[in-house]
Amino acid sequence: MSLELFAIIFLVGMFIIGSIFPVNIGVLGFVAAFVIGVLVSGMETKAVLGVFPADLFVLLTGITFMFSIVQKNGTIDLIASWGLKLVRGNLGLIPWVVFFLGTTLAALGTSVVALASILAPLVLRLAYKFKINALMMGTLLIVGLTAGAFSPLNLFGLIVKGVLETRGLPHEPVILMVNVLLFCFVVGLIVFVVLGGIKNFKLSSKNVSDAQLRTAAAYASDEEFDEEENIFENVKLDWYKAATLIGIGVLIYMALFLEFHMGFSAFTIGLILAFMRPSLQTEVVKAIPWPVILMVTGIVTYVGVLDAIGSIDYMTDLISGLNNSYVASLVASYTGGIISSFASTTGFLAAIIPLVTPILEDPTISSTGVVAAIAISSSIVDLSPFSTNGALLLSNCKPSEERSFFRKLLVMSGIFIVIGPLAAWLLFVVIGVPWG
């Protein structure tokens, strides 16, 4: 077996090992970069360090630093409370408030996993309280989070942007976000109709009040709520939250219109917000998703070693050997759906894009469409109970329904794995969309 092929097989093995053992895949990536790069292929240590993605590291750390402040200072809770107040008087709107609340918060840059951990208990408790299909509510939450996850501010969107720019490939972040949002909205609409969401409009009640929505700190259990407590009582707009909202707007303007480096821009705005309230900073730094950053940078470093020893060229030759970029993009999409259903979506995105470079460079096929298809296929399956977001839903269902809810999640994620990649491929690669 050639070294190039062995190194690629080990890359796949990293995801398998990471899904079985509680080991950060990024650590495996750094170790593999050293073993394969230095000890086996004879690269200089300096050369291995040279492929470390410093730009991507600053990008991820800067954004997550700033949005850790956004999360810790209560701005996320404020936006969530605004969204939940919209359900008053119409139960049929609750699932869509859940969808768009997840989309909005994810698009603003908040970690998808962090949002799932915050919103899953709330969403399922609402479902049980108002007798709405819990599977529908959970699915719309995860699909809604996915819809916003490829915004230029979110970790998923940043990873795609960073990897493509590192490879010197063109990227349209806004178009990617629009494509994913469109697809997820259609998926959410289908799920809403199939799982009986329309009937909730007939059950609408004018008596739905703030007092009935108090679930922020409660998990999906049989625990009673304090009937006098108001979930929105302590969630109010103050000067610091207002400054934070302005900071988010400034970041968007700096990154998208002035084209400043998003990582450094986020560090700058985050530092200003930090000086406004220094007492939060210890918790803010702890809240930065260091394991995710370690994972992504470790994998990208290993992929850089793969490039240096010729494994990327080896894979590109194999893909080119298919003699059909359409078929190759479909294979890549299904690979993303299958692997991400039990492994890290963020890690997979960092690994797969360099391997499909020949497809993205083919002028006969839409590179934006290919990226959208792979991105959707790799993230829409996060509903799987074997993934973090799916597991969060499962852990917050009623204990008496855990077995049945597990089976329902498994069936739903299976449907997404089978249909999702094909539908995304047909829409964005084969048919195409007029905006890119």
Side-chain angles (χ1 to χ4, degrees), residues 300-335:
V300 173
T301 299
Y302 182 59
V303 170
V305 171
L306 292 182
D307 194 9
I309 66 176
S311 293
I312 299 296
D313 290 337
Y314 179 86
M315 277 300 298
T316 56
D317 290 341
L318 287 180
I319 294 174
S320 299
L322 292 174
N323 294 321
N324 192 318
S325 293
Y326 287 92
V327 174
S329 61
L330 179 61
V331 171
S333 297
Y334 268 107
T335 301

PDB file of all heavy atoms in Angstrom, residues 300-335:
ATOM      1  N   VAL A 300      -7.066  20.220   9.753  1.00  0.00           N
ATOM      2  CA  VAL A 300      -6.559  21.008   8.623  1.00  0.00           C
ATOM      3  C   VAL A 300      -5.038  20.894   8.532  1.00  0.00           C
ATOM      4  O   VAL A 300      -4.465  20.855   7.427  1.00  0.00           O
ATOM      5  CB  VAL A 300      -7.004  22.475   8.749  1.00  0.00           C
ATOM      6  CG1 VAL A 300      -6.346  23.335   7.681  1.00  0.00           C
ATOM      7  CG2 VAL A 300      -8.522  22.583   8.630  1.00  0.00           C
ATOM      8  N   THR A 301      -4.364  20.835   9.676  1.00  0.00           N
ATOM      9  CA  THR A 301      -2.909  20.638   9.655  1.00  0.00           C
ATOM     10  C   THR A 301      -2.554  19.299   9.025  1.00  0.00           C
ATOM     11  O   THR A 301      -1.630  19.204   8.198  1.00  0.00           O
ATOM     12  CB  THR A 301      -2.337  20.708  11.088  1.00  0.00           C
ATOM     13  OG1 THR A 301      -2.609  22.002  11.638  1.00  0.00           O
ATOM     14  CG2 THR A 301      -0.829  20.489  11.091  1.00  0.00           C
ATOM     15  N   TYR A 302      -3.289  18.252   9.413  1.00  0.00           N
ATOM     16  CA  TYR A 302      -3.027  16.931   8.826  1.00  0.00           C
ATOM     17  C   TYR A 302      -3.325  16.927   7.324  1.00  0.00           C
ATOM     18  O   TYR A 302      -2.584  16.318   6.538  1.00  0.00           O
ATOM     19  CB  TYR A 302      -3.857  15.869   9.533  1.00  0.00           C
ATOM     20  CG  TYR A 302      -3.608  14.465   9.007  1.00  0.00           C
ATOM     21  CD1 TYR A 302      -2.334  13.905   9.055  1.00  0.00           C
ATOM     22  CD2 TYR A 302      -4.635  13.714   8.449  1.00  0.00           C
ATOM     23  CE1 TYR A 302      -2.085  12.634   8.572  1.00  0.00           C
ATOM     24  CE2 TYR A 302      -4.407  12.436   7.970  1.00  0.00           C
ATOM     25  CZ  TYR A 302      -3.125  11.899   8.024  1.00  0.00           C
ATOM     26  OH  TYR A 302      -2.893  10.634   7.539  1.00  0.00           O
ATOM     27  N   VAL A 303      -4.410  17.615   6.935  1.00  0.00           N
ATOM     28  CA  VAL A 303      -4.723  17.711   5.504  1.00  0.00           C
ATOM     29  C   VAL A 303      -3.600  18.441   4.770  1.00  0.00           C
ATOM     30  O   VAL A 303      -3.256  18.093   3.630  1.00  0.00           O
ATOM     31  CB  VAL A 303      -6.072  18.425   5.291  1.00  0.00           C
ATOM     32  CG1 VAL A 303      -6.288  18.748   3.811  1.00  0.00           C
ATOM     33  CG2 VAL A 303      -7.216  17.556   5.795  1.00  0.00           C
ATOM     34  N   GLY A 304      -2.982  19.431   5.433  1.00  0.00           N
ATOM     35  CA  GLY A 304      -1.836  20.117   4.836  1.00  0.00           C
ATOM     36  C   GLY A 304      -0.663  19.175   4.615  1.00  0.00           C
ATOM     37  O   GLY A 304       0.035  19.262   3.601  1.00  0.00           O
ATOM     38  N   VAL A 305      -0.443  18.265   5.573  1.00  0.00           N
ATOM     39  CA  VAL A 305       0.603  17.246   5.403  1.00  0.00           C
ATOM     40  C   VAL A 305       0.241  16.299   4.259  1.00  0.00           C
ATOM     41  O   VAL A 305       1.109  15.913   3.457  1.00  0.00           O
ATOM     42  CB  VAL A 305       0.800  16.462   6.722  1.00  0.00           C
ATOM     43  CG1 VAL A 305       1.708  15.257   6.502  1.00  0.00           C
ATOM     44  CG2 VAL A 305       1.388  17.372   7.792  1.00  0.00           C
ATOM     45  N   LEU A 306      -1.041  15.936   4.172  1.00  0.00           N
ATOM     46  CA  LEU A 306      -1.493  15.089   3.055  1.00  0.00           C
ATOM     47  C   LEU A 306      -1.159  15.748   1.720  1.00  0.00           C
ATOM     48  O   LEU A 306      -0.728  15.082   0.769  1.00  0.00           O
ATOM     49  CB  LEU A 306      -2.997  14.840   3.147  1.00  0.00           C
ATOM     50  CG  LEU A 306      -3.534  13.979   4.289  1.00  0.00           C
ATOM     51  CD1 LEU A 306      -5.048  13.832   4.165  1.00  0.00           C
ATOM     52  CD2 LEU A 306      -2.872  12.616   4.306  1.00  0.00           C
ATOM     53  N   ASP A 307      -1.368  17.039   1.660  1.00  0.00           N
ATOM     54  CA  ASP A 307      -1.069  17.781   0.436  1.00  0.00           C
ATOM     55  C   ASP A 307       0.430  17.732   0.141  1.00  0.00           C
ATOM     56  O   ASP A 307       0.852  17.519  -1.005  1.00  0.00           O
ATOM     57  CB  ASP A 307      -1.544  19.226   0.593  1.00  0.00           C
ATOM     58  CG  ASP A 307      -1.591  19.968  -0.728  1.00  0.00           C
ATOM     59  OD1 ASP A 307      -1.423  19.329  -1.782  1.00  0.00           O
ATOM     60  OD2 ASP A 307      -1.787  21.195  -0.698  1.00  0.00           O
ATOM     61  N   ALA A 308       1.229  17.914   1.195  1.00  0.00           N
ATOM     62  CA  ALA A 308       2.681  17.960   1.006  1.00  0.00           C
ATOM     63  C   ALA A 308       3.262  16.630   0.542  1.00  0.00           C
ATOM     64  O   ALA A 308       4.224  16.597  -0.230  1.00  0.00           O
ATOM     65  CB  ALA A 308       3.359  18.401   2.313  1.00  0.00           C
ATOM     66  N   ILE A 309       2.688  15.514   1.009  1.00  0.00           N
ATOM     67  CA  ILE A 309       3.239  14.198   0.643  1.00  0.00           C
ATOM     68  C   ILE A 309       2.582  13.611  -0.604  1.00  0.00           C
ATOM     69  O   ILE A 309       2.911  12.495  -1.023  1.00  0.00           O
ATOM     70  CB  ILE A 309       3.123  13.192   1.810  1.00  0.00           C
ATOM     71  CG1 ILE A 309       1.665  12.866   2.111  1.00  0.00           C
ATOM     72  CG2 ILE A 309       3.823  13.722   3.052  1.00  0.00           C
ATOM     73  CD1 ILE A 309       1.492  11.792   3.186  1.00  0.00           C
ATOM     74  N   GLY A 310       1.626  14.353  -1.188  1.00  0.00           N
ATOM     75  CA  GLY A 310       1.030  13.914  -2.451  1.00  0.00           C
ATOM     76  C   GLY A 310      -0.287  13.187  -2.334  1.00  0.00           C
ATOM     77  O   GLY A 310      -0.836  12.740  -3.349  1.00  0.00           O
ATOM     78  N   SER A 311      -0.856  13.061  -1.126  1.00  0.00           N
ATOM     79  CA  SER A 311      -2.119  12.327  -0.972  1.00  0.00           C
ATOM     80  C   SER A 311      -3.285  13.062  -1.610  1.00  0.00           C
ATOM     81  O   SER A 311      -4.206  12.426  -2.146  1.00  0.00           O
ATOM     82  CB  SER A 311      -2.409  12.093   0.511  1.00  0.00           C
ATOM     83  OG  SER A 311      -1.469  11.221   1.081  1.00  0.00           O
ATOM     84  N   ILE A 312      -3.267  14.390  -1.542  1.00  0.00           N
ATOM     85  CA  ILE A 312      -4.345  15.166  -2.158  1.00  0.00           C
ATOM     86  C   ILE A 312      -4.335  14.966  -3.667  1.00  0.00           C
ATOM     87  O   ILE A 312      -5.385  14.765  -4.291  1.00  0.00           O
ATOM     88  CB  ILE A 312      -4.216  16.658  -1.815  1.00  0.00           C
ATOM     89  CG1 ILE A 312      -4.309  16.870  -0.300  1.00  0.00           C
ATOM     90  CG2 ILE A 312      -5.295  17.460  -2.530  1.00  0.00           C
ATOM     91  CD1 ILE A 312      -5.638  16.497   0.290  1.00  0.00           C
ATOM     92  N   ASP A 313      -3.142  14.997  -4.257  1.00  0.00           N
ATOM     93  CA  ASP A 313      -3.042  14.742  -5.702  1.00  0.00           C
ATOM     94  C   ASP A 313      -3.527  13.332  -6.037  1.00  0.00           C
ATOM     95  O   ASP A 313      -4.165  13.113  -7.073  1.00  0.00           O
ATOM     96  CB  ASP A 313      -1.591  14.918  -6.165  1.00  0.00           C
ATOM     97  CG  ASP A 313      -1.144  16.365  -6.126  1.00  0.00           C
ATOM     98  OD1 ASP A 313      -2.022  17.251  -6.175  1.00  0.00           O
ATOM     99  OD2 ASP A 313       0.076  16.614  -6.034  1.00  0.00           O
ATOM    100  N   TYR A 314      -3.203  12.384  -5.149  1.00  0.00           N
ATOM    101  CA  TYR A 314      -3.639  10.989  -5.345  1.00  0.00           C
ATOM    102  C   TYR A 314      -5.164  10.919  -5.378  1.00  0.00           C
ATOM    103  O   TYR A 314      -5.757  10.265  -6.243  1.00  0.00           O
ATOM    104  CB  TYR A 314      -3.082  10.132  -4.219  1.00  0.00           C
ATOM    105  CG  TYR A 314      -3.473   8.670  -4.276  1.00  0.00           C
ATOM    106  CD1 TYR A 314      -2.730   7.764  -5.035  1.00  0.00           C
ATOM    107  CD2 TYR A 314      -4.568   8.194  -3.571  1.00  0.00           C
ATOM    108  CE1 TYR A 314      -3.084   6.417  -5.084  1.00  0.00           C
ATOM    109  CE2 TYR A 314      -4.930   6.859  -3.606  1.00  0.00           C
ATOM    110  CZ  TYR A 314      -4.178   5.970  -4.364  1.00  0.00           C
ATOM    111  OH  TYR A 314      -4.538   4.652  -4.409  1.00  0.00           O
ATOM    112  N   MET A 315      -5.812  11.614  -4.414  1.00  0.00           N
ATOM    113  CA  MET A 315      -7.271  11.596  -4.354  1.00  0.00           C
ATOM    114  C   MET A 315      -7.878  12.340  -5.537  1.00  0.00           C
ATOM    115  O   MET A 315      -8.897  11.906  -6.102  1.00  0.00           O
ATOM    116  CB  MET A 315      -7.740  12.232  -3.049  1.00  0.00           C
ATOM    117  CG  MET A 315      -7.743  11.293  -1.860  1.00  0.00           C
ATOM    118  SD  MET A 315      -8.825   9.861  -2.077  1.00  0.00           S
ATOM    119  CE  MET A 315     -10.415  10.651  -2.230  1.00  0.00           C
ATOM    120  N   THR A 316      -7.257  13.450  -5.913  1.00  0.00           N
ATOM    121  CA  THR A 316      -7.800  14.203  -7.039  1.00  0.00           C
ATOM    122  C   THR A 316      -7.723  13.395  -8.331  1.00  0.00           C
ATOM    123  O   THR A 316      -8.610  13.470  -9.173  1.00  0.00           O
ATOM    124  CB  THR A 316      -7.056  15.532  -7.220  1.00  0.00           C
ATOM    125  OG1 THR A 316      -5.658  15.278  -7.370  1.00  0.00           O
ATOM    126  CG2 THR A 316      -7.273  16.437  -6.032  1.00  0.00           C
ATOM    127  N   ASP A 317      -6.684  12.601  -8.447  1.00  0.00           N
ATOM    128  CA  ASP A 317      -6.578  11.724  -9.617  1.00  0.00           C
ATOM    129  C   ASP A 317      -7.682  10.674  -9.608  1.00  0.00           C
ATOM    130  O   ASP A 317      -8.254  10.342 -10.653  1.00  0.00           O
ATOM    131  CB  ASP A 317      -5.206  11.039  -9.648  1.00  0.00           C
ATOM    132  CG  ASP A 317      -4.075  12.009  -9.970  1.00  0.00           C
ATOM    133  OD1 ASP A 317      -4.374  13.090 -10.502  1.00  0.00           O
ATOM    134  OD2 ASP A 317      -2.912  11.678  -9.667  1.00  0.00           O
ATOM    135  N   LEU A 318      -7.994  10.135  -8.415  1.00  0.00           N
ATOM    136  CA  LEU A 318      -9.076   9.152  -8.310  1.00  0.00           C
ATOM    137  C   LEU A 318     -10.414   9.779  -8.682  1.00  0.00           C
ATOM    138  O   LEU A 318     -11.214   9.187  -9.405  1.00  0.00           O
ATOM    139  CB  LEU A 318      -9.147   8.577  -6.890  1.00  0.00           C
ATOM    140  CG  LEU A 318      -8.048   7.610  -6.465  1.00  0.00           C
ATOM    141  CD1 LEU A 318      -8.284   7.156  -5.028  1.00  0.00           C
ATOM    142  CD2 LEU A 318      -8.012   6.388  -7.396  1.00  0.00           C
ATOM    143  N   ILE A 319     -10.650  10.996  -8.162  1.00  0.00           N
ATOM    144  CA  ILE A 319     -11.903  11.678  -8.467  1.00  0.00           C
ATOM    145  C   ILE A 319     -11.980  12.017  -9.952  1.00  0.00           C
ATOM    146  O   ILE A 319     -13.016  11.855 -10.594  1.00  0.00           O
ATOM    147  CB  ILE A 319     -12.039  12.950  -7.609  1.00  0.00           C
ATOM    148  CG1 ILE A 319     -12.186  12.567  -6.129  1.00  0.00           C
ATOM    149  CG2 ILE A 319     -13.221  13.796  -8.053  1.00  0.00           C
ATOM    150  CD1 ILE A 319     -12.176  13.736  -5.178  1.00  0.00           C
ATOM    151  N   SER A 320     -10.862  12.463 -10.486  1.00  0.00           N
ATOM    152  CA  SER A 320     -10.832  12.764 -11.923  1.00  0.00           C
ATOM    153  C   SER A 320     -11.074  11.509 -12.737  1.00  0.00           C
ATOM    154  O   SER A 320     -11.631  11.554 -13.842  1.00  0.00           O
ATOM    155  CB  SER A 320      -9.479  13.379 -12.301  1.00  0.00           C
ATOM    156  OG  SER A 320      -9.252  14.580 -11.602  1.00  0.00           O
ATOM    157  N   GLY A 321     -10.655  10.357 -12.169  1.00  0.00           N
ATOM    158  CA  GLY A 321     -10.849   9.087 -12.859  1.00  0.00           C
ATOM    159  C   GLY A 321     -12.302   8.702 -13.016  1.00  0.00           C
ATOM    160  O   GLY A 321     -12.629   7.836 -13.843  1.00  0.00           O
ATOM    161  N   LEU A 322     -13.168   9.312 -12.216  1.00  0.00           N
ATOM    162  CA  LEU A 322     -14.600   9.047 -12.386  1.00  0.00           C
ATOM    163  C   LEU A 322     -15.114   9.622 -13.697  1.00  0.00           C
ATOM    164  O   LEU A 322     -16.170   9.229 -14.181  1.00  0.00           O
ATOM    165  CB  LEU A 322     -15.388   9.651 -11.218  1.00  0.00           C
ATOM    166  CG  LEU A 322     -15.173   9.005  -9.848  1.00  0.00           C
ATOM    167  CD1 LEU A 322     -15.899   9.803  -8.758  1.00  0.00           C
ATOM    168  CD2 LEU A 322     -15.655   7.556  -9.845  1.00  0.00           C
ATOM    169  N   ASN A 323     -14.343  10.594 -14.236  1.00  0.00           N
ATOM    170  CA  ASN A 323     -14.671  11.224 -15.522  1.00  0.00           C
ATOM    171  C   ASN A 323     -16.042  11.891 -15.512  1.00  0.00           C
ATOM    172  O   ASN A 323     -16.646  12.096 -16.560  1.00  0.00           O
ATOM    173  CB  ASN A 323     -14.612  10.193 -16.664  1.00  0.00           C
ATOM    174  CG  ASN A 323     -13.203   9.688 -16.891  1.00  0.00           C
ATOM    175  OD1 ASN A 323     -12.247  10.464 -16.806  1.00  0.00           O
ATOM    176  ND2 ASN A 323     -13.071   8.389 -17.140  1.00  0.00           N
ATOM    177  N   ASN A 324     -16.555  12.186 -14.328  1.00  0.00           N
ATOM    178  CA  ASN A 324     -17.848  12.838 -14.245  1.00  0.00           C
ATOM    179  C   ASN A 324     -17.946  13.584 -12.911  1.00  0.00           C
ATOM    180  O   ASN A 324     -18.112  12.968 -11.860  1.00  0.00           O
ATOM    181  CB  ASN A 324     -18.981  11.818 -14.367  1.00  0.00           C
ATOM    182  CG  ASN A 324     -20.332  12.482 -14.573  1.00  0.00           C
ATOM    183  OD1 ASN A 324     -20.636  13.480 -13.938  1.00  0.00           O
ATOM    184  ND2 ASN A 324     -21.137  11.918 -15.462  1.00  0.00           N
ATOM    185  N   SER A 325     -17.820  14.881 -12.961  1.00  0.00           N
ATOM    186  CA  SER A 325     -17.850  15.675 -11.738  1.00  0.00           C
ATOM    187  C   SER A 325     -19.202  15.616 -11.046  1.00  0.00           C
ATOM    188  O   SER A 325     -19.297  15.767  -9.828  1.00  0.00           O
ATOM    189  CB  SER A 325     -17.501  17.139 -12.045  1.00  0.00           C
ATOM    190  OG  SER A 325     -16.160  17.254 -12.460  1.00  0.00           O
ATOM    191  N   TYR A 326     -20.260  15.389 -11.824  1.00  0.00           N
ATOM    192  CA  TYR A 326     -21.587  15.290 -11.222  1.00  0.00           C
ATOM    193  C   TYR A 326     -21.682  14.054 -10.335  1.00  0.00           C
ATOM    194  O   TYR A 326     -22.196  14.115  -9.211  1.00  0.00           O
ATOM    195  CB  TYR A 326     -22.656  15.258 -12.315  1.00  0.00           C
ATOM    196  CG  TYR A 326     -22.863  16.594 -12.991  1.00  0.00           C
ATOM    197  CD1 TYR A 326     -22.159  16.920 -14.147  1.00  0.00           C
ATOM    198  CD2 TYR A 326     -23.748  17.536 -12.467  1.00  0.00           C
ATOM    199  CE1 TYR A 326     -22.338  18.154 -14.761  1.00  0.00           C
ATOM    200  CE2 TYR A 326     -23.932  18.767 -13.079  1.00  0.00           C
ATOM    201  CZ  TYR A 326     -23.224  19.067 -14.221  1.00  0.00           C
ATOM    202  OH  TYR A 326     -23.391  20.290 -14.824  1.00  0.00           O
ATOM    203  N   VAL A 327     -21.205  12.930 -10.851  1.00  0.00           N
ATOM    204  CA  VAL A 327     -21.227  11.698 -10.063  1.00  0.00           C
ATOM    205  C   VAL A 327     -20.322  11.837  -8.844  1.00  0.00           C
ATOM    206  O   VAL A 327     -20.681  11.435  -7.726  1.00  0.00           O
ATOM    207  CB  VAL A 327     -20.784  10.496 -10.921  1.00  0.00           C
ATOM    208  CG1 VAL A 327     -20.658   9.237 -10.058  1.00  0.00           C
ATOM    209  CG2 VAL A 327     -21.759  10.265 -12.069  1.00  0.00           C
ATOM    210  N   ALA A 328     -19.152  12.434  -9.041  1.00  0.00           N
ATOM    211  CA  ALA A 328     -18.203  12.601  -7.939  1.00  0.00           C
ATOM    212  C   ALA A 328     -18.790  13.486  -6.839  1.00  0.00           C
ATOM    213  O   ALA A 328     -18.618  13.208  -5.644  1.00  0.00           O
ATOM    214  CB  ALA A 328     -16.899  13.204  -8.456  1.00  0.00           C
ATOM    215  N   SER A 329     -19.495  14.543  -7.213  1.00  0.00           N
ATOM    216  CA  SER A 329     -20.099  15.423  -6.210  1.00  0.00           C
ATOM    217  C   SER A 329     -21.225  14.718  -5.456  1.00  0.00           C
ATOM    218  O   SER A 329     -21.423  14.945  -4.260  1.00  0.00           O
ATOM    219  CB  SER A 329     -20.624  16.705  -6.860  1.00  0.00           C
ATOM    220  OG  SER A 329     -21.618  16.415  -7.824  1.00  0.00           O
ATOM    221  N   LEU A 330     -21.953  13.835  -6.140  1.00  0.00           N
ATOM    222  CA  LEU A 330     -23.000  13.055  -5.467  1.00  0.00           C
ATOM    223  C   LEU A 330     -22.381  12.091  -4.466  1.00  0.00           C
ATOM    224  O   LEU A 330     -22.883  11.946  -3.331  1.00  0.00           O
ATOM    225  CB  LEU A 330     -23.839  12.294  -6.492  1.00  0.00           C
ATOM    226  CG  LEU A 330     -24.964  11.422  -5.916  1.00  0.00           C
ATOM    227  CD1 LEU A 330     -25.965  12.277  -5.144  1.00  0.00           C
ATOM    228  CD2 LEU A 330     -25.666  10.646  -7.038  1.00  0.00           C
ATOM    229  N   VAL A 331     -21.286  11.437  -4.858  1.00  0.00           N
ATOM    230  CA  VAL A 331     -20.583  10.528  -3.948  1.00  0.00           C
ATOM    231  C   VAL A 331     -20.080  11.289  -2.721  1.00  0.00           C
ATOM    232  O   VAL A 331     -20.221  10.825  -1.582  1.00  0.00           O
ATOM    233  CB  VAL A 331     -19.407   9.837  -4.674  1.00  0.00           C
ATOM    234  CG1 VAL A 331     -18.546   9.061  -3.673  1.00  0.00           C
ATOM    235  CG2 VAL A 331     -19.930   8.896  -5.754  1.00  0.00           C
ATOM    236  N   ALA A 332     -19.513  12.472  -2.944  1.00  0.00           N
ATOM    237  CA  ALA A 332     -19.011  13.286  -1.831  1.00  0.00           C
ATOM    238  C   ALA A 332     -20.142  13.707  -0.910  1.00  0.00           C
ATOM    239  O   ALA A 332     -19.985  13.726   0.319  1.00  0.00           O
ATOM    240  CB  ALA A 332     -18.286  14.519  -2.373  1.00  0.00           C
ATOM    241  N   SER A 333     -21.313  14.019  -1.470  1.00  0.00           N
ATOM    242  CA  SER A 333     -22.460  14.434  -0.663  1.00  0.00           C
ATOM    243  C   SER A 333     -22.949  13.296   0.221  1.00  0.00           C
ATOM    244  O   SER A 333     -23.217  13.485   1.415  1.00  0.00           O
ATOM    245  CB  SER A 333     -23.592  14.928  -1.571  1.00  0.00           C
ATOM    246  OG  SER A 333     -23.202  16.074  -2.301  1.00  0.00           O
ATOM    247  N   TYR A 334     -23.063  12.106  -0.353  1.00  0.00           N
ATOM    248  CA  TYR A 334     -23.510  10.957   0.442  1.00  0.00           C
ATOM    249  C   TYR A 334     -22.472  10.568   1.488  1.00  0.00           C
ATOM    250  O   TYR A 334     -22.820  10.168   2.604  1.00  0.00           O
ATOM    251  CB  TYR A 334     -23.836   9.767  -0.461  1.00  0.00           C
ATOM    252  CG  TYR A 334     -25.282   9.730  -0.879  1.00  0.00           C
ATOM    253  CD1 TYR A 334     -25.664  10.045  -2.182  1.00  0.00           C
ATOM    254  CD2 TYR A 334     -26.270   9.402   0.033  1.00  0.00           C
ATOM    255  CE1 TYR A 334     -27.001  10.037  -2.558  1.00  0.00           C
ATOM    256  CE2 TYR A 334     -27.610   9.389  -0.336  1.00  0.00           C
ATOM    257  CZ  TYR A 334     -27.968   9.709  -1.623  1.00  0.00           C
ATOM    258  OH  TYR A 334     -29.290   9.703  -1.984  1.00  0.00           O
ATOM    259  N   THR A 335     -21.214  10.722   1.146  1.00  0.00           N
ATOM    260  CA  THR A 335     -20.152  10.459   2.130  1.00  0.00           C
ATOM    261  C   THR A 335     -20.302  11.386   3.321  1.00  0.00           C
ATOM    262  O   THR A 335     -20.197  10.961   4.483  1.00  0.00           O
ATOM    263  CB  THR A 335     -18.768  10.647   1.501  1.00  0.00           C
ATOM    264  OG1 THR A 335     -18.627   9.757   0.381  1.00  0.00           O
ATOM    265  CG2 THR A 335     -17.672  10.345   2.516  1.00  0.00           C
TER     266      THR A 335
END
